[in-house]
Structures are given as C-alpha cells and as structure tokens.
Amino acid sequence: MRTRNRVFGLGAALALVTALAPPALAANPIVTSYYTADPAPLVVGNTLYVYAGRDEAPPGDTNFRMREWRVLSSTDAATWTDHGARANIATFPWAGADAWASEVEPRGGKYYWYTSVNGNGAGWMDIGVAVGDSPLGPFRDAKGGPLISDSTPNSSGLNIDPTVFTDDDGQAYLYWGGYWGARAAKLKPDMIELDGPVVTPQGLANFWEAPWMFKRNGLYYMVYAANDTNGCVTSSSHACQRYATATSPLGPWTHRGVVLDQVSSTTNHAGVVQFNGQWYIVYHNADAPGGGDFRRSVAVDLLHFNADGTMRKVTQTTTGPPPNPGTNPGTGTNLAPSAAASTSYVSAWESLAALNNGGTPANSADRSNLAYGNWPERGTQWVEYTWPTAKSVNRVSTYWFDDDQGIDLPASCQVQYWTGSAYAPVPGQSACGVAGNTSNSTTFTAVSTTRLRLSITSKPDFSTGVLEWQAFQA
Ligand code: FUB
C-alpha cells in the first residue's frame, strides 16, 4: 500500500512499456472487420460511445448468432476506437443465449447496461441489467435475475430492445418490446427495479420493435422500428424507423412519420444522440463486405431537425459524417487514440492504457477509467505517444492523477518531440500546467513528428501519474 511521505528505497530502473492503442476506424459501416448490430449511442464528456451487439452468424445462416456486447468510442463522431467486448451472455449467470439489443444509461456515477438476453427460465427473451463504474466497465450483473421476463405482468410478446431515458427531474423510464408490443414502466432510483406497473404506451403507430427515447427542446421523441408497407417498407420482412413525439414521458404519443427508410438488412435498429452540438442517428445495415441480415454493421449519419421540431429523413451514406471535434477548449482532433503509448516506468497495478482510452475524469482521484502512475519512481519520468507516420501537433491536454498517497501533482512538466535524431522541447510552448481536477492545456508552434513526449518532474518524496493525455492535430 502506498503512503504519502513514506520514503522508499527502491531503485529507479528504467522500464520501457508499450501499450498498443486499439485501431481507429472511419466511414460507414464504422466496423468492417466483424459484424455489429443494434447500436446504442451515449455521450459522456467529450466522448461518444456506441454499444452494439456482435453478429457471429456464418455466411448463409438464417439465425441471429449473438453472444457478446461491444463498445466503440469517438471524440469526433467520424473516427472510431474499438474497445472490444465489454459484456457477454456470461455476464448474466441466469442467461444462456441471444445477446440482442442493449442500451447504457448513466446514473450516480454508474453505468447501467440494459440488455436483451435469453434467460434460462420459462419463456424466451428477458431484459437484464449489468452495472459498471465507467462507460467501459467492467460490468457485472446488477440484479441476479431478469428485470423483465415473460412473467412480468403486462410484459411484451417479446421482451427485447430496452431503451432507458432519464428525465430532467431524475425519473428514469424503461421502454421496450417487440412483435408489435411496446411497453413502458418507471424505474426506481436504483435503476434495477420497476417503480409501478407496466403500461402500454398509446400512439406509437405501427410499432414493431427497437424503441429509442430522447428529449429535445422539452419535447419527448420515440424512434422505433415499424414494418408496415404504408410508406415504410417495400416488404414487411424489412423495417423502417418511424418516430412519434409526446409532451410527457409516458405519452400519449403522436406519430410524426418516417425518419429512416428501410436499410439493406431486414432489421432496422437505431439510436439518436446529440454530440458536440450536432444530432446523429446510429443504426445498422448489411453493408460490410460479406454482410447480410444476420451479419449486420453499424453506421452513423447526420440527423437534422426542422424548425417545428419534426425530423428530416436521414440520408444514408457510405462516408459517414464529417469529423466534429467540437469547439470547446479541451476538444479538437485528438490524435492520442491512434498512438502507441510508452513510458519510462509504470506501476504494476496501474495502467498505461489510461493515457489514451478516452476517459473523462471527474477529478484527479477518479480512476474509474484507469490511471497511469509511476510510484515509487521520483524525479523526472516520461510518457510518450508514437504514431506510425508523422503527425502535425500543436496542443496537448493533460489530466493529472493524484491518489492522495504516494502520487501527487507534479512540480513541473515539459512537452518534447522527436526531431528525427533527438528529443527537444516543442517550440513556443505555453506553461505546462500542473493543476489538479482539470485538463491542463499546453499550446505550442506546430511540430511534425512521430513521437511526442510528456516529461514529468515530481515533487520531492512523491511520484506522478496521469489520467488522460490528449494530443491535438494542428
Ligand atoms: O439483433 C437481434 C434483434 O434484431 C434486435 O433485438 C432487434 O432490434 C433486431 O435488430
């Protein structure tokens, strides 16, 4: 255990540790190396997360083969980092198959992952809840059994496709359903129990499955899959996305029309989110090479509203949306996710992956998205990003780690770059800030380099650490 002010006599062996960042992906579909379905977007800080199932059906199979839920993230809605599977059927010991559509809802610093999963009890699909302390987990079963099952009074004919919405007053609502049976219920503040009866929402015309709820300018919106041939699809084996609005969260709903036409897969499942001031629709299709109805792929496109609050029909693209890094200080095109991180030293129980995993710390002691620390080393240590090709960089942002034990805020820092033959301070750099509980931005004259280094000098008797280090494209 580390203790502040304790003197440690360990040597300062220099260890080079390299953690390869996950691959960055771009354009639609946003992943083509495997198949993804049923996307659910979530914005946390300056990061857009997408939670999605994985289609594992071999070519020609006509069943869903789905065993895990995966996470992708982006800081510009155009370039994606794959965080792999973060939950699977085994997350729910009472379940046995069918990792279908899911959605994550934050509350009280925790992240609740509502999933469609085939329980081992009577009936078919259930809704389970996993919980984690960060958007990337780790996630564990939050309830020990289904939140919704066929034995839930007034449940849907197919208990799938949860969407959870939390209103401004803190009341959370669960909507779900398939086989034309939309259902809704309030959730208790613990997010794992219903607070009152299951109701049948009114006005969701031609509802088939896949509800997604959000609020904009005081108006509630429900986007959902429909499969009628009355302006929706050419054949009822396909689906479009219709939407309805309401002035209260449980309706009644007023149908407004089709927002997303049928896609290249028979199923059509979407989520809507605002990120960096722009609205997006995240959905799936069958457009990846070798794709099909059971080999689907997630896509992202722009979503536009008219002045009266109605939505314009989405233009489905293969390019995806343009990069939207935002305009707030601390945002921009962050090149860190595409870099490999290395360091002079990392403590065995801490992680270099913290540097560029897209975490948005709540404070300098928040290690919910991992923390890099170099205890028991003192003096000057460094962390570094390496890119396979030269990048033009003119700003970094550093969120320092302070565990109130052996790791403290540094005494000073300096940003350096590889000139091709040596490390040199980046030219014209502004003060390298060492404040806690905030992002410290350092600007400099743009350099073109394959390696950017943050040299960190500790206070006497302390080591140093970093929660997130961003490097921005010039
Ligand atoms: O992915 C399995 C099921 O297909 C989902 O739960 C539905 O929404 C449909 O996309």
Side-chain angles (χ1 to χ4, degrees), residues 38 64 66 100-101 160-161 209-210 267 269 284 296:
D38 305 324
F64 294 123
M66 305 179 79
W100 288 14
I160 59 170
D161 297 359
E209 61 181 12
T267 58
H269 192 117
H284 69 219
R296 300 163 290 180

PDB file of all heavy atoms in Angstrom, residues 38 64 66 100-101 160-161 209-210 267 269 284 296, ligand 1:
ATOM      1  N   ASP A  38     -27.559  -3.397 -33.666  1.00  0.00           N
ATOM      2  CA  ASP A  38     -28.349  -2.828 -32.569  1.00  0.00           C
ATOM      3  C   ASP A  38     -27.583  -1.768 -31.792  1.00  0.00           C
ATOM      4  O   ASP A  38     -27.431  -1.859 -30.561  1.00  0.00           O
ATOM      5  CB  ASP A  38     -28.804  -3.941 -31.612  1.00  0.00           C
ATOM      6  CG  ASP A  38     -29.552  -5.046 -32.331  1.00  0.00           C
ATOM      7  OD1 ASP A  38     -30.300  -4.733 -33.279  1.00  0.00           O
ATOM      8  OD2 ASP A  38     -29.394  -6.223 -31.940  1.00  0.00           O
ATOM      9  N   PHE A  64     -29.946 -15.356 -35.754  1.00  0.00           N
ATOM     10  CA  PHE A  64     -29.014 -14.490 -35.040  1.00  0.00           C
ATOM     11  C   PHE A  64     -28.098 -15.361 -34.203  1.00  0.00           C
ATOM     12  O   PHE A  64     -28.564 -16.214 -33.452  1.00  0.00           O
ATOM     13  CB  PHE A  64     -29.773 -13.528 -34.108  1.00  0.00           C
ATOM     14  CG  PHE A  64     -30.615 -12.529 -34.849  1.00  0.00           C
ATOM     15  CD1 PHE A  64     -31.977 -12.448 -34.612  1.00  0.00           C
ATOM     16  CD2 PHE A  64     -30.054 -11.667 -35.764  1.00  0.00           C
ATOM     17  CE1 PHE A  64     -32.758 -11.531 -35.287  1.00  0.00           C
ATOM     18  CE2 PHE A  64     -30.831 -10.741 -36.451  1.00  0.00           C
ATOM     19  CZ  PHE A  64     -32.185 -10.678 -36.208  1.00  0.00           C
ATOM     20  N   MET A  66     -25.522 -14.425 -31.562  1.00  0.00           N
ATOM     21  CA  MET A  66     -25.033 -13.236 -30.847  1.00  0.00           C
ATOM     22  C   MET A  66     -24.721 -13.624 -29.402  1.00  0.00           C
ATOM     23  O   MET A  66     -25.578 -14.133 -28.692  1.00  0.00           O
ATOM     24  CB  MET A  66     -26.083 -12.117 -30.892  1.00  0.00           C
ATOM     25  CG  MET A  66     -26.515 -11.764 -32.312  1.00  0.00           C
ATOM     26  SD  MET A  66     -27.769 -10.474 -32.379  1.00  0.00           S
ATOM     27  CE  MET A  66     -26.761  -9.015 -32.130  1.00  0.00           C
ATOM     28  N   TRP A 100     -28.963  -9.868 -27.595  1.00  0.00           N
ATOM     29  CA  TRP A 100     -29.610  -8.970 -28.542  1.00  0.00           C
ATOM     30  C   TRP A 100     -29.469  -7.505 -28.095  1.00  0.00           C
ATOM     31  O   TRP A 100     -28.603  -7.182 -27.313  1.00  0.00           O
ATOM     32  CB  TRP A 100     -31.070  -9.383 -28.724  1.00  0.00           C
ATOM     33  CG  TRP A 100     -31.237 -10.662 -29.517  1.00  0.00           C
ATOM     34  CD1 TRP A 100     -30.276 -11.579 -29.842  1.00  0.00           C
ATOM     35  CD2 TRP A 100     -32.459 -11.162 -30.070  1.00  0.00           C
ATOM     36  NE1 TRP A 100     -30.819 -12.611 -30.560  1.00  0.00           N
ATOM     37  CE2 TRP A 100     -32.153 -12.389 -30.719  1.00  0.00           C
ATOM     38  CE3 TRP A 100     -33.783 -10.717 -30.077  1.00  0.00           C
ATOM     39  CZ2 TRP A 100     -33.133 -13.143 -31.366  1.00  0.00           C
ATOM     40  CZ3 TRP A 100     -34.752 -11.473 -30.719  1.00  0.00           C
ATOM     41  CH2 TRP A 100     -34.434 -12.664 -31.361  1.00  0.00           C
ATOM     42  N   ALA A 101     -30.363  -6.662 -28.539  1.00  0.00           N
ATOM     43  CA  ALA A 101     -30.160  -5.214 -28.427  1.00  0.00           C
ATOM     44  C   ALA A 101     -30.038  -4.739 -26.974  1.00  0.00           C
ATOM     45  O   ALA A 101     -30.674  -5.283 -26.076  1.00  0.00           O
ATOM     46  CB  ALA A 101     -31.309  -4.488 -29.108  1.00  0.00           C
ATOM     47  N   ILE A 160     -37.677  -7.516 -25.548  1.00  0.00           N
ATOM     48  CA  ILE A 160     -36.350  -7.170 -26.093  1.00  0.00           C
ATOM     49  C   ILE A 160     -36.249  -5.651 -26.230  1.00  0.00           C
ATOM     50  O   ILE A 160     -37.203  -4.906 -26.010  1.00  0.00           O
ATOM     51  CB  ILE A 160     -36.101  -7.802 -27.480  1.00  0.00           C
ATOM     52  CG1 ILE A 160     -37.173  -7.339 -28.492  1.00  0.00           C
ATOM     53  CG2 ILE A 160     -36.090  -9.323 -27.376  1.00  0.00           C
ATOM     54  CD1 ILE A 160     -36.853  -7.721 -29.944  1.00  0.00           C
ATOM     55  N   ASP A 161     -35.080  -5.213 -26.614  1.00  0.00           N
ATOM     56  CA  ASP A 161     -34.823  -3.854 -27.092  1.00  0.00           C
ATOM     57  C   ASP A 161     -35.118  -2.769 -26.059  1.00  0.00           C
ATOM     58  O   ASP A 161     -35.908  -1.844 -26.298  1.00  0.00           O
ATOM     59  CB  ASP A 161     -35.597  -3.600 -28.389  1.00  0.00           C
ATOM     60  CG  ASP A 161     -35.158  -4.505 -29.520  1.00  0.00           C
ATOM     61  OD1 ASP A 161     -34.236  -5.315 -29.303  1.00  0.00           O
ATOM     62  OD2 ASP A 161     -35.731  -4.422 -30.615  1.00  0.00           O
ATOM     63  N   GLU A 209     -40.609  -2.955 -33.122  1.00  0.00           N
ATOM     64  CA  GLU A 209     -39.595  -3.247 -32.106  1.00  0.00           C
ATOM     65  C   GLU A 209     -38.639  -2.053 -32.051  1.00  0.00           C
ATOM     66  O   GLU A 209     -38.858  -1.024 -32.693  1.00  0.00           O
ATOM     67  CB  GLU A 209     -38.823  -4.527 -32.454  1.00  0.00           C
ATOM     68  CG  GLU A 209     -38.069  -4.462 -33.782  1.00  0.00           C
ATOM     69  CD  GLU A 209     -37.332  -5.757 -34.121  1.00  0.00           C
ATOM     70  OE1 GLU A 209     -37.578  -6.787 -33.467  1.00  0.00           O
ATOM     71  OE2 GLU A 209     -36.516  -5.726 -35.063  1.00  0.00           O
ATOM     72  N   ALA A 210     -37.587  -2.180 -31.230  1.00  0.00           N
ATOM     73  CA  ALA A 210     -36.456  -1.249 -31.219  1.00  0.00           C
ATOM     74  C   ALA A 210     -36.812   0.202 -30.880  1.00  0.00           C
ATOM     75  O   ALA A 210     -36.465   1.127 -31.615  1.00  0.00           O
ATOM     76  CB  ALA A 210     -35.722  -1.303 -32.566  1.00  0.00           C
ATOM     77  N   THR A 267     -33.746  -6.204 -40.498  1.00  0.00           N
ATOM     78  CA  THR A 267     -33.989  -5.459 -39.260  1.00  0.00           C
ATOM     79  C   THR A 267     -33.445  -4.047 -39.386  1.00  0.00           C
ATOM     80  O   THR A 267     -32.528  -3.776 -40.167  1.00  0.00           O
ATOM     81  CB  THR A 267     -33.327  -6.155 -38.052  1.00  0.00           C
ATOM     82  OG1 THR A 267     -31.921  -6.263 -38.314  1.00  0.00           O
ATOM     83  CG2 THR A 267     -33.943  -7.528 -37.807  1.00  0.00           C
ATOM     84  N   HIS A 269     -32.547  -0.928 -36.616  1.00  0.00           N
ATOM     85  CA  HIS A 269     -32.469  -0.606 -35.180  1.00  0.00           C
ATOM     86  C   HIS A 269     -31.603   0.639 -35.042  1.00  0.00           C
ATOM     87  O   HIS A 269     -30.473   0.659 -35.531  1.00  0.00           O
ATOM     88  CB  HIS A 269     -31.847  -1.792 -34.433  1.00  0.00           C
ATOM     89  CG  HIS A 269     -31.969  -1.693 -32.958  1.00  0.00           C
ATOM     90  ND1 HIS A 269     -32.684  -2.605 -32.197  1.00  0.00           N
ATOM     91  CD2 HIS A 269     -31.482  -0.788 -32.080  1.00  0.00           C
ATOM     92  CE1 HIS A 269     -32.628  -2.267 -30.923  1.00  0.00           C
ATOM     93  NE2 HIS A 269     -31.889  -1.167 -30.823  1.00  0.00           N
ATOM     94  N   HIS A 284     -28.032   0.229 -37.984  1.00  0.00           N
ATOM     95  CA  HIS A 284     -27.259  -0.839 -38.632  1.00  0.00           C
ATOM     96  C   HIS A 284     -27.815  -1.141 -40.019  1.00  0.00           C
ATOM     97  O   HIS A 284     -28.960  -0.819 -40.340  1.00  0.00           O
ATOM     98  CB  HIS A 284     -27.145  -2.093 -37.748  1.00  0.00           C
ATOM     99  CG  HIS A 284     -28.419  -2.866 -37.547  1.00  0.00           C
ATOM    100  ND1 HIS A 284     -28.776  -3.442 -36.339  1.00  0.00           N
ATOM    101  CD2 HIS A 284     -29.432  -3.195 -38.390  1.00  0.00           C
ATOM    102  CE1 HIS A 284     -29.929  -4.075 -36.460  1.00  0.00           C
ATOM    103  NE2 HIS A 284     -30.345  -3.935 -37.692  1.00  0.00           N
ATOM    104  N   ARG A 296     -24.784  -7.999 -39.687  1.00  0.00           N
ATOM    105  CA  ARG A 296     -25.086  -6.578 -39.859  1.00  0.00           C
ATOM    106  C   ARG A 296     -23.908  -5.690 -39.429  1.00  0.00           C
ATOM    107  O   ARG A 296     -22.963  -6.180 -38.818  1.00  0.00           O
ATOM    108  CB  ARG A 296     -26.343  -6.238 -39.041  1.00  0.00           C
ATOM    109  CG  ARG A 296     -27.549  -7.059 -39.488  1.00  0.00           C
ATOM    110  CD  ARG A 296     -28.673  -7.055 -38.472  1.00  0.00           C
ATOM    111  NE  ARG A 296     -28.300  -7.811 -37.281  1.00  0.00           N
ATOM    112  CZ  ARG A 296     -29.089  -7.985 -36.227  1.00  0.00           C
ATOM    113  NH1 ARG A 296     -30.309  -7.452 -36.208  1.00  0.00           N
ATOM    114  NH2 ARG A 296     -28.679  -8.671 -35.176  1.00  0.00           N
TER     115      ARG A 296
HETATM  116  O1  FUB B   1     -30.255  -8.246 -33.010  1.00  0.00           O
HETATM  117  C1  FUB B   1     -31.341  -9.016 -32.610  1.00  0.00           C
HETATM  118  C2  FUB B   1     -32.634  -8.252 -32.812  1.00  0.00           C
HETATM  119  O2  FUB B   1     -32.735  -7.822 -34.125  1.00  0.00           O
HETATM  120  C3  FUB B   1     -32.762  -6.969 -32.020  1.00  0.00           C
HETATM  121  O3  FUB B   1     -33.038  -7.148 -30.663  1.00  0.00           O
HETATM  122  C4  FUB B   1     -33.830  -6.301 -32.801  1.00  0.00           C
HETATM  123  O4  FUB B   1     -33.991  -4.949 -32.514  1.00  0.00           O
HETATM  124  C5  FUB B   1     -33.370  -6.557 -34.198  1.00  0.00           C
HETATM  125  O5  FUB B   1     -32.405  -5.619 -34.607  1.00  0.00           O
END
